[in-house]
Amino acid sequence: MIELVAMLVIAGLLATFAVNRFFQRDTFDARSASDQVASIVRYGQKLAVAQNRPVFVRIDGKSVALCFDAACSDAQKVVPPAGTNSGSKNTLLACSDRRNWLCEGWPSTVKLTGGAGFYFDPLGRPYYAAYGDFSTPLVLTVAAGGQQYQVNVAPETGYVYR
């Protein structure tokens, strides 16, 4: 009987802390968004080299997307390798309701800072659309729920790392 009571007390304590942590989606959303940002930016660099043309990375506070021109016109939007983006509610809201565009969005609780428009040239080197080449690494910060994740783009090589 004593063992049973001890197990119930331990289970109750674990449940108290674990349930709180389990229902906090912000942390998971931030990690997911940082993974998406890193993957899309890395793919943009590889695509620029593979197709021997500039690839523009469009970043705003709620999404990241790839295009073949700075204006991101409909004819110049990059198609995802799988044919469609995730199609989540947040992606469709942030990406003009288009599934055939390499664009991903995330919940409003997730914030992306540090990025302005930039592009990769045909050699995979990053350049700011308005200012020229990078002199220091570009640091994109994804934050939510008290967690922060960084995605870095190295100058000269365009290497994307976390």
Side-chain angles (χ1 to χ4, degrees):
M1 187 62 119
I2 294 174
E3 293 171 355
L4 180 62
V5 171
M7 287 304 295
L8 288 174
V9 168
I10 291 172
L13 288 172
L14 286 175
T16 302
F17 296 107
V19 169
N20 252 352
R21 182 80 174 159
F22 184 72
F23 288 109
Q24 288 181 330
R25 287 198 42 96
D26 293 348
T27 303
F28 299 111
D29 289 340
R31 178 59 189 231
S32 173
S34 72
D35 289 345
Q36 287 175 335
V37 169
S39 295
I40 290 173
V41 172
R42 191 173 296 127
Y43 180 73
Q45 195 251 358
K46 305 293 183 205
L47 186 64
V49 172
Q51 292 199 1
N52 196 30
R53 67 192 285 192
V55 173
F56 291 81
V57 180
R58 188 200 78 171
I59 296 176
D60 59 19
K62 58 186 179 179
S63 69
V64 62
L66 297 179
C67 302
F68 289 119
D69 67 354
C72 220
S73 60
D74 282 343
Q76 298 298 316
K77 292 183 176 173
V78 173
V79 176
T84 64
N85 57 27
S86 67
S88 70
K89 176 183 73 168
N90 295 309
T91 294
L92 294 176
L93 284 172
C95 302
S96 306
D97 220 6
R98 293 195 43 171
R99 292 182 60 95
N100 64 340
W101 178 24
L102 186 50
C103 177
E104 288 295 332
W106 39 80
S108 60
T109 56
V110 177
K111 303 295 181 213
L112 173 64
T113 58
F118 69 97
Y119 70 96
F120 293 103
D121 73 357
L123 295 176
R125 294 180 301 207
Y127 290 91
Y128 286 113
Y131 309 114
D133 62 348
F134 287 19
S135 58
T136 60
L138 171 67
V139 179
L140 303 170
T141 303
V142 179
Q147 296 291 320
Q148 284 191 344
Y149 300 96
Q150 291 185 338
V151 176
N152 303 292
V153 180
E156 190 59 35
T157 62
Y159 179 65
V160 179
Y161 60 98
R162 295 170 35 90

